[in-house]
Amino acid sequence: MRLVLGSGSPRRLELLAQIGVVPDAVRPPDIDETPNAAELPRPYCDRMALEKVRAVQAGADEVVLCADTTVALGRRIFGKPADAAEAAEFLVKLMGRRHDVITAVAVRSAERIWQKSVVTAVKMKRLSDTELNGYLESGDWQGKAGGYAIQGPAGAFIPWINGSFTGVVGLPLAETANLLRAAGVIR
């Protein structure tokens, strides 16, 4: 079976390489990622992974892997900030508090779909104005759910997590390996 990664994320490619998996192709899906009215974070994240895996074109000999990562504070979904002002708004709301990072993974082979979502509790420390502004100037917030990436400079802001570090990065490896095993991609 050939593996298609339905994601343009370089982090997901790096994570797959950690478990010895190199996709045969990369085909990021183009879907509308707008949450539905009153949609809760985990169902939203699960829906996004499913919509992505269904949107990727694949041949009969191909297995598609897609994922979605969402940052949630209570019922509020923090997606990828549109600009530095929105990134600042997200970070100000997250700092000093626990929040959830949800990553949903979906694997499709023909018409069969396997799915798993992982929720990790994360605590971000309170940031000084200097830390916040320095981080915003770095541009590292761009394209990152919640406006930060734990594997980058913002890792210095995260004193505690409870759950999957790789899930926070964007692909929970233990769960992903199990899904790929179920689909026959790895042994």
Side-chain angles (χ1 to χ4, degrees):
M1 299 298 283
R2 293 173 35 86
L3 178 63
V4 175
L5 176 61
S7 172
S9 165
R11 293 165 300 281
R12 290 192 176 118
L13 274 173
E14 292 165 6
L15 287 167
L16 284 172
Q18 287 180 23
I19 58 170
V21 174
V22 178
D24 297 291
V26 175
R27 295 184 201 133
D30 183 20
I31 65 164
D32 179 4
E33 296 190 35
T34 307
N36 293 328
E39 190 169 25
L40 295 175
R42 190 167 186 172
Y44 163 77
C45 196
D46 288 338
R47 180 175 66 82
M48 287 297 94
L50 274 175
E51 285 188 18
K52 288 177 181 181
V53 84
R54 288 180 177 141
V56 174
Q57 296 296 315
D61 65 335
E62 294 179 320
V63 173
V64 179
L65 166 67
C66 291
D68 187 74
T69 301
T70 299
V71 172
L73 183 61
R75 299 169 65 94
R76 179 150 183 215
I77 295 168
F78 290 78
K80 297 172 186 163
D83 53 31
E86 189 173 40
E89 176 192 329
F90 288 177
L91 293 168
V92 166
K93 287 184 170 130
L94 294 173
M95 66 182 178
R97 305 176 77 175
R98 284 188 189 178
H99 59 277
D100 290 329
V101 177
I102 306 153
T103 298
V105 182
V107 173
R108 176 172 56 91
S109 177
E111 297 304 312
R112 180 123 190 240
I113 296 176
W114 296 265
Q115 186 173 14
K116 177 75 176 169
S117 58
V118 174
V119 180
T120 301
V122 177
K123 179 158 188 190
M124 181 178 287
K125 74 174 196 146
R126 291 205 167 275
L127 305 179
S128 68
D129 287 345
T130 302
E131 288 172 316
L132 178 60
N133 290 326
Y135 182 70
L136 293 170
E137 287 172 16
S138 78
D140 189 64
W141 55 269
Q142 294 175 335
K144 313 284 187 350
Y148 76 93
I150 196 170
Q151 74 278 10
F157 308 151
I158 311 295
W160 176 91
I161 73 166
N162 185 16
S164 170
F165 177 81
T166 57
V168 176
V169 175
L171 196 65
L173 289 181
E175 293 79 5
T176 299
N178 286 337
L179 295 176
L180 291 174
R181 196 170 290 112
V185 174
I186 61 176
R187 295 194 168 159

